[in-house]
Every structure is written in structure tokens, then in C-alpha cells.
Amino acid sequence: MAKAKPASELDFNNLGFDYMDLPYRFLAHYSDGKWDAGKLTEDSTLHISEGSTSVHYGQADFEGLKAYRTKDGSINLFRPDMNAKRMHNSCERLLMPPYPEDKFIEAVKQVVAANADYVPPYGTGATLYLRPLMIGVGGNIGVHPASEYLFTIFAMPVGAYYKGGLKPTNFTTSYYDRAAPHGTGQSKVGGNYGGSLLPGDQAHKAGYSDVIYLDPATHTKIEEAGSANFFGITKDNEFVTPKSPSILPSITKFSALYLAEHRLGLKAVQGDVFINDLDRFKEAGAMGTAAVISPIGGIEYQDHLHVFYSETEVAPLTRKLYDELTGIQFGDVEAPEGWIQKVPLD
Ligand SMILES: Cc1ncc(COP(=O)(O)O)c(C=O)c1O
């Protein structure tokens, strides 16, 4: 894999969501019951044993967060403490040694600062995406937790999720589930995503942007999209997002619930969203670090496409929520206490 082009040669207005081998990443190693100090490294390859539990048994978890260039040239992180905490929870679910949360945030800042040239300029809508990853390594063959682990954080600049700005897309439902009722749906672990590749591919081939998964026990309620949580806004101005133990606790979702209530004047509700009762919503969307706030045009279920506001126009409250959230992330709108952390640059 070739190293990324120098930042000065990149077209930050036309980035996709693609891997890029940037100059620096953070790497720490766990053995003998403790994490080493970790350090920045230029080596983007991982050298691991063929017996690594991550490779055989999916003992691997990860995170996703972004760094945002502001108008004054500084760099914002959006709620990295929530990513550190969620990764801690994912580690506990897979019997992995959590990486200390304060050191997680510190390492994120180091990676952003070391690759600062690659944080896209303000105004492009592009961001630096960070991927913290932990894997079980070392020689193992039985189904047991590893005794050694690697923790890395790498980064790459990514474009706005939808080229040409915000626009609605259609989603479809699937026969397949992404998570089991008492499984790992609430953890950000690799295994959840392996199983979502087939339904995701089927949805894309049929022209949909993603799958909306239904609850695995009854297939009557919306759970979430393949890489984002769902929201709907009712005709009487409730901002509703599914409450379920098998969906990923999205940081964007918790932020949107707060903004809906405190900045948009909506009533924020977490509860059941029945797939055969979509008429109550005047707007709907998907929300996540990559998806940001993405309007959903319609959802296909049992050969019928239920259109919410429009398949082509962005609904007004969805646009307001998008503007509020991205305004906070890029430093143009005042953030609630503690949501933004600055990356120290020298
Ligand atoms: C399955 C799934 N749901 C929801 C989300 C959104 O979570 P967040 O807002 O924390 O990025 C993601 C992406 O991280 C995801 O992979």
C-alpha cells in the first residue's frame, strides 16, 4: 500500500471515505498484564501471530471519531471522552483490557497533531477520521481471551458523506439481523460488521444506501442502520429514536437528542418505532459520525416504499439539526459544556 500523497497535493474538496496511509499512527502493546507507554510510529502494518484471537474469534473492537478544522485554523475533537468510554465498554464485553480513557484521548490528540497537515481546511466539509482499534494477538488456538493486545489509532481525511451536500436517500429492510437479542449489538466489535456485509451488499445492489435492521426478536420494530442510528420526527414534533439493548449507543444520537430538545424545541423520546407505523413521522434520518445527519427519503419494507418528507428535498427540521450539529463540530455554533476538546498544536 502506497503512502498517502503529501497533504499539499490532495484535493480536499473531492475526498471519498477511503483508507489512506498517513505518516503517523499511535501504537501500544499489552503484555504481562499491562499496557506499555505506546508511541507514534510511521509503520502502518501490524505484525501479528497466526494464532491471534482477533483473526480467528473476532476478539477485536474499534471506534470512529473525527477532527474538525475551525475557521481560525484550530482543530476540534467532538466528545472524544464518549468514544473512550464506549471502547472501554466494548473491551469489557470481549474480555479485553480497556485502554485508559484519559490516555485514549491523549493518544487521539497526538495522532491528529502529528498528521495536522491532513486535517482538511475549514469550509470543505471534509474532516480527519480517526480509527482507534484494539485486537487480541499472540499464539492461541482455543476459544479463550488472548494474553496480549495491540491498541492503535490511525487516521485519514474523509469527505462529506454525501457529495454535493445534504440529500435524502432511500433505505431498505432485510431478512437478516445485525445483532442478537442478548448478543454484542451494543458494543462496537468487529463481529457485528462481518455479518452485516451480505445484507449491506444486497441493499446497495438494489439501489438503497443502507439497510435499516429490524429488532431481531420480532422483526416489527426499527433498530438502526448498518452504520448509523435512526430518528424520526413526528407530526406533533417528537424527535424519536429507537431504544433497544441491541443497537450501538451512538454518540451522534445522544447529541441529537440533546439538541432536538434544547435547541430545536422538540420533545426528545427514546422508544419503540414500529415498521408498520411510519405514517406518524413527517421526517426521518440516520445519524452517526460518518453519516452525520443524513435525511432518509423512504424505507422499503415488504415491497412498499414508505416516503417520509420527500425523496429529493431535505426536510426542514432535519436540515436545522444538521446545521446545529455541524456548526458545533466546526466551531461556528456554541457547544454545550464539554462537547469540544481542542487539539494542542505547536
Ligand atoms: C452500527 C452503528 N450504529 C451507529 C453508529 C453511529 O455511532 P456514532 O454516532 O457514535 O458514530 C455507528 C458508527 O459508529 C455504527 O457503526
Side-chain angles (χ1 to χ4, degrees):
M1 177 83 209
K3 284 276 177 199
K5 285 190 215 170
S8 57
E9 291 174 24
L10 285 181
D11 179 0
F12 285 111
N13 284 299
N14 286 298
L15 292 171
F17 200 85
D18 300 309
Y19 176 77
M20 231 184 256
D21 186 347
L22 294 202
Y24 299 102
R25 69 275 306 126
F26 180 84
L27 184 65
H29 187 228
Y30 180 95
S31 61
D32 299 326
K34 57 181 186 310
W35 286 103
D36 70 11
K39 61 175 189 323
L40 292 175
T41 163
E42 292 180 50
D43 185 358
S44 59
T45 58
L46 296 174
H47 307 272
I48 62 171
S49 163
E50 62 193 3
S52 295
T53 55
S54 49
V55 179
H56 296 257
Y57 304 128
Q59 203 190 16
D61 61 13
F62 66 101
E63 273 302 323
L65 69 162
K66 287 172 168 175
Y68 305 81
R69 180 80 69 182
T70 67
K71 207 180 249 171
D72 67 12
S74 65
I75 301 175
N76 283 352
L77 293 173
F78 182 71
R79 312 190 78 177
D81 51 315
M82 302 267 289
N83 295 96
K85 194 173 179 48
R86 187 169 64 189
M87 192 164 201
H88 185 123
N89 294 342
S90 299
C91 285
E92 288 188 335
R93 180 64 180 81
L94 294 192
L95 285 181
M96 302 168 80
Y99 195 73
E101 291 172 41
D102 54 338
K103 292 201 169 118
F104 174 106
I105 297 170
E106 192 44 48
V108 166
K109 289 178 179 169
Q110 277 189 46
V111 173
V112 176
N115 296 293
D117 289 354
Y118 288 89
V119 181
Y122 174 82
T124 58
T127 54
L128 187 78
Y129 182 77
L130 291 133
R131 169 51 56 85
L133 169 73
M134 192 187 294
I135 59 173
V137 297
N140 300 276
I141 199 59
V143 183
H144 305 292
S147 52
E148 291 183 33
Y149 295 85
L150 291 181
F151 173 66
T152 180
I153 304 175
F154 56 99
M156 70 222 68
V158 296
Y161 199 63
Y162 288 118
K163 287 207 174 8
L166 198 59
K167 64 174 195 296
T169 59
N170 292 337
F171 287 61
T172 186
T173 49
S174 176
Y175 158 84
Y176 294 106
D177 298 323
R178 73 172 279 284
H182 301 283
T184 54
Q186 80 285 38
S187 309
K188 203 162 169 66
V189 302
N192 292 346
Y193 296 82
S196 76
L197 295 176
L198 173 63
D201 187 57
Q202 289 174 339
H204 295 145
K205 284 189 174 136
Y208 297 100
S209 62
D210 203 351
V211 175
I212 291 279
Y213 290 98
L214 300 178
D215 72 290
T218 69
H219 266 222
T220 59
K221 295 179 273 187
I222 287 183
E223 289 258 289
E224 66 170 318
S227 56
N229 278 184
F230 172 87
F231 71 87
I233 302 175
T234 64
K235 291 171 181 162
D236 52 0
N237 289 330
E238 286 188 352
F239 179 90
V240 186
T241 180
K243 187 171 177 63
S244 156
S246 49
I247 65 178
L248 192 78
S250 154
I251 293 158
T252 317
K253 184 255 296 284
F254 293 125
S255 308
L257 280 165
Y258 179 91
L259 296 175
E261 182 112 18
H262 294 91
R263 303 265 173 108
L264 270 66
L266 305 172
K267 181 166 184 246
V269 178
Q270 293 188 71
D272 288 339
V273 177
F274 288 95
I275 188 68
N276 61 10
D277 187 24
L278 297 181
D279 269 344
R280 68 186 177 120
F281 297 116
K282 57 182 178 182
E283 302 188 18
M287 48 193 170
T289 298
V292 193
I293 300 292
S294 296
I296 296 179
I299 295 179
E300 187 276 335
Y301 174 63
Q302 294 182 341
D303 296 328
H304 168 73
L305 182 72
H306 177 94
V307 175
F308 294 94
Y309 180 79
S310 157
E311 282 182 79
T312 51
E313 301 294 317
V314 181
L317 291 167
T318 302
R319 180 180 292 280
K320 250 184 154 168
L321 181 61
Y322 174 89
D323 287 345
E324 191 71 22
L325 178 68
T326 55
I328 289 169
Q329 291 168 332
F330 285 102
D332 296 327
V333 170
E334 197 189 338
E337 179 74 29
W339 280 22
I340 294 295
Q341 293 200 30
K342 288 282 176 199
V343 175
L345 302 170
D346 22 69

